[in-house]
Amino acid sequence: MRLHRLFHVLLAMCLGIALLAGRLLWLQTWGSSPRGAAADATAMSVRQRTQGVTLDPGRGHIADRRGEPLTGETVNGLLLLPGGAERMTDADRRSLARILNVPTMRLVDEWRKVDRPAWWNPDARDGGKSPSPLTPEQAAGIRGLRLSGATVASAVRRYPERRLAAHLVGFVAEQPERMTAMYGQRLTDGQLRLSTPIGASGLELAFDRLLHGAGETRIVSYVDGRGEPLNGLGVKTAGTSNPYYPLRLISTVDAAAQRAVEAAADAAGLTEGAVVVLDVATSDIVAMASRPAYEADRLTPQGSDWANRAIRAVAPGSIMKSFVAAAALEEGVVQPDETFDCDGTYGRYGLTCWKEGGHGHLTFAEALAESCNIAFAEVGERLSGETLQRYGIELGVVGAVGWKGVSDLDGKPLLHLPEEQPGRAFAGSPSAADGGVLAQTAIGQRDARWTPLAAANWMATLVRGGAPASPRAATELQYADGHAAERYDARRLPGGADAISPATSRVLRGMLEGVVASGTGASLQNAAWPLAGKSGTAEATVDGRDVVHQWFIGYGPADKPKYAVAVLAERRPTGSANRATAVFEAVMNALAALPE
């Protein structure tokens, strides 16, 4: 009986050992990579036991056409560890405070607030997620102290302190809801975190899905269940290694031209508006500036400084006359030497000329130079709404003109300027446009809306003899080794065929040169280059206040065009001098001064 019981006990023990061995075998073979809820629990367990800061989010960077970085600046910062202030001697606290040029008590007080590794940056609004850059002398001095509770570390700061093309490049921000909706699988795989910044505007938004890297690099410390540091484990660097990442987006921006354009626009007093500079040969964006400027760490959802006014549509005013002239000349409803009489009033629709008493007897070419409302209202009525709409689409002032295509990497649609507002000639059906609508539209009022990008592109199209193109903001996405991941070839506008003939283009270019020679652009005669273009003033009401949007669009040098430029000065006082013309001259002079 005793032997029988002993046999059963031994059998039970053997079965238990066999079960444990089987479980161990399963864990070592099939169970080593947890899935589903188990994986989430494992990842959560690790994250709860590590705290740290990001050194490099692994996001791809953006460069100008020659490779000069527009994002991605490596800086040295002071990394503070929890409890580090208490582990320092009084002498070390004083020495560190002296190096940082802050009172010792402020250093200690700020440090005691740290409950996880954080950068020293007491004036930042991001809770220590980004460092306050150290000078080389400061970094060397801190390293010399050999502190145990703080260390000098290098981090990638997304945007340089003095940013270029800020509105075109855009910015990144933490957007957990959008992150979950768009990149749920990458979150599950651990490639991204809810706190990983993603593109919120500009090229950062347009190429967001392509700029994500292989993972971030972090400095982490290990803590127990109560969040207390685990002694002995110290601080470690954690990250991934992939020779192809991060990617780099090569933009069409010329950094030297961008600096010159921004400085010229600011010096000429552009406080609200935009400047667009295109290469006339390709319509590539050489420079793009929007004002007012913004600081990425001070953005608010309600703020308007982040909006890129270069791709926002407003009333064009008299710059629309250059487009109406092109359509009318091409349709043969007017000739450059046809004469008109302007006494200051049109006689219907309540339409008047901007010049009191009128321009008298003048040709159509002179009407463009003097920006006569009466002559263009009459010509506008000779064209149908459908005709103006068709030319508007083909010449790129109706609809969106920015580059659009499909990414070779993921096969999804790709827009270089996803925030671009479409231009328009009419708010309703073009076929319903009566004489009054046509007359008002012909002078750039009523429902007409243009973006500075479209206006500059129209000038480039004119210079090319009527061949329309879609402005590009980028030419190539590169792997880390410099090889192309995909290229963005130049594209024509969807209309395809040239909307106006080279002959019409030549006639109209001569008329635009006349604007500067003897018309509303006469103040540009002393510019560094001979210039051609058209001014415009559009009446508008903003917040119940009457204002004007002032424009100047054109190209230079007039005899051998290199750049097409559009300037918009928004919300200017009624009756004020055309600020856009002054900015246009300053920008063209700055471009003329650039080395070849």
Side-chain angles (χ1 to χ4, degrees):
M1 191 70 178
R2 291 175 58 189
L3 290 174
H4 184 71
R5 285 197 298 269
L6 181 60
F7 172 76
H8 283 87
V9 169
L10 292 174
L11 180 62
M13 292 176 63
C14 289
L15 288 172
I17 292 172
L19 288 171
L20 289 173
R23 174 63 175 170
L24 179 60
L25 177 63
W26 184 88
L27 288 173
Q28 289 179 329
T29 55
W30 301 283
S32 59
S33 299
R35 297 288 185 267
D40 294 340
T42 301
M44 184 64 70
S45 174
V46 172
R47 289 170 187 169
Q48 286 177 340
R49 288 172 173 78
T50 61
Q51 296 177 341
V53 296
T54 299
L55 299 180
D56 185 348
R59 185 177 178 86
H61 292 297
I62 302 171
D64 89 327
R65 60 176 58 185
R66 296 182 179 86
E68 179 176 330
L70 299 177
T71 66
E73 179 182 59
T74 301
V75 298
N76 285 324
L78 176 62
L79 187 66
L80 306 178
L81 303 180
E86 285 72 19
R87 297 196 295 272
M88 293 174 61
T89 65
D90 288 340
D92 281 344
R93 291 193 195 99
R94 289 193 296 270
S95 296
L96 181 57
R98 186 167 54 254
I99 293 172
L100 297 174
N101 196 29
V102 296
T104 303
M105 284 307 300
R106 186 185 183 194
L107 170 64
V108 173
D109 289 343
E110 293 289 343
W111 202 335
R112 284 173 176 164
K113 299 175 185 177
V114 171
D115 59 359
R116 62 186 60 201
W119 294 108
W120 166 257
N121 197 350
D123 297 324
R125 301 185 180 186
D126 59 6
K129 294 180 181 178
S130 61
S132 176
L134 300 172
T135 66
E137 294 75 19
Q138 286 177 313
I142 295 172
R143 289 191 181 102
L145 295 178
R146 299 182 180 277
L147 305 173
S148 62
T151 185
V152 174
S154 296
V156 175
R157 187 166 63 175
R158 186 67 187 170
Y159 305 113
E161 188 172 347
R162 297 182 65 84
R163 296 191 59 184
L164 277 179
H167 290 83
L168 177 60
V169 171
F171 64 95
V172 295
E174 293 182 16
Q175 299 178 324
E177 291 185 4
R178 183 164 159 260
M179 170 71 83
T180 302
M182 295 187 64
Y183 305 116
Q185 187 58 50
R186 293 191 185 186
L187 285 171
T188 302
D189 294 343
Q191 298 178 29
L192 299 173
R193 302 157 61 93
L194 280 177
S195 59
T196 301
I198 58 178
S201 75
L203 295 177
E204 296 278 29
L205 172 64
F207 291 87
D208 184 60
R209 69 181 192 269
L210 303 176
L211 291 177
H212 291 310
E216 62 185 3
T217 301
R218 292 168 56 83
I219 280 187
V220 298
S221 64
Y222 296 85
V223 297
D224 59 22
R226 295 171 297 177
E228 298 295 328
L230 290 172
N231 294 327
L233 293 182
V235 176
K236 300 181 182 298
T237 301
T240 58
S241 177
N242 188 316
Y244 295 104
Y245 291 89
L247 301 178
R248 183 171 70 157
L249 181 69
I250 303 301
S251 74
T252 57
V253 170
D254 183 319
Q258 182 72 37
R259 288 190 189 91
V261 167
E262 291 192 28
D266 291 337
L270 183 66
T271 58
E272 192 170 5
V275 179
V276 176
V277 179
L278 301 183
D279 183 331
V280 296
T282 60
S283 279
D284 284 351
I285 298 171
V286 176
M288 179 180 283
S290 179
R291 292 294 182 267
Y294 70 70
E295 297 180 58
D297 62 347
R298 289 176 168 80
L299 293 171
T300 62
Q302 293 76 31
S304 60
D305 291 359
W306 64 268
N308 187 352
R309 294 167 190 256
I311 54 176
R312 195 167 67 175
V314 301
S318 291
I319 64 169
M320 183 130 181
K321 293 171 183 172
S322 63
F323 157 73
V324 172
L329 290 168
E330 188 69 19
E331 288 292 299
V333 300
V334 70
Q335 296 299 319
D337 57 355
E338 181 180 348
T339 58
F340 297 82
D341 289 304
C342 171
D343 62 4
T345 62
Y346 192 46
R348 52 188 182 277
Y349 317 130
L351 193 149
T352 61
C353 193
W354 63 269
K355 184 176 182 180
E356 188 174 352
H359 291 94
H361 193 70
L362 74 176
T363 67
F364 184 58
E366 291 169 337
L368 182 65
E370 297 292 342
S371 200
C372 176
N373 288 348
I374 305 305
F376 273 87
E378 182 176 334
V379 171
E381 286 202 74
R382 298 177 187 177
L383 297 166
S384 68
E386 292 95 332
T387 299
L388 282 176
Q389 181 77 359
R390 174 170 57 83
Y391 277 98
I393 293 172
E394 292 176 347
L395 293 173
V397 296
V398 170
V401 299
W403 192 98
K404 62 182 68 174
V406 175
S407 168
D408 293 334
L409 292 180
D410 62 10
K412 297 179 180 178
L414 180 65
L415 279 71
H416 285 191
L417 302 165
E419 300 155 294
E420 179 190 2
Q421 293 181 351
R424 74 184 189 205
F426 308 101
S429 172
S431 60
D434 59 18
V437 171
L438 291 171
Q440 290 285 348
T441 302
I443 64 173
Q445 290 291 162
R446 198 174 174 91
D447 301 319
R449 298 290 184 272
W450 283 19
T451 65
L453 175 67
N457 194 44
W458 155 228
M459 289 290 97
T461 297
L462 177 65
V463 169
R464 290 193 299 268
S470 288
R472 288 186 299 179
T475 58
E476 188 172 276
L477 185 66
Q478 297 178 345
Y479 291 115
D481 63 3
H483 287 87
E486 63 180 13
R487 292 186 174 91
Y488 312 112
D489 295 330
R491 295 192 171 204
R492 293 174 68 96
L493 284 174
D498 296 353
I500 58 174
S501 66
T504 296
S505 175
R506 285 193 298 272
V507 170
L508 185 53
R509 283 182 59 181
M511 292 169 65
L512 292 179
E513 291 174 18
V515 172
V516 175
S518 59
T520 56
S523 63
L524 301 173
Q525 292 175 7
N526 295 322
W529 278 338
L531 303 175
K534 181 72 184 78
S535 62
T537 302
E539 298 175 354
T541 301
V542 178
D543 298 329
R545 179 171 56 97
D546 290 336
V547 296
V548 290
H549 301 317
Q550 297 170 342
W551 293 81
F552 200 96
I553 63 174
Y555 52 88
D559 52 347
K560 193 175 182 181
K562 186 175 183 180
Y563 300 110
V565 176
V567 177
L568 166 64
E570 285 190 73
R571 306 185 189 192
R572 296 275 296 154
T574 301
S576 61
N578 192 318
R579 179 61 53 83
T581 304
V583 174
F584 180 86
E585 179 177 14
V587 166
M588 280 299 193
N589 287 344
L591 293 171
L594 292 175
E596 292 292 336

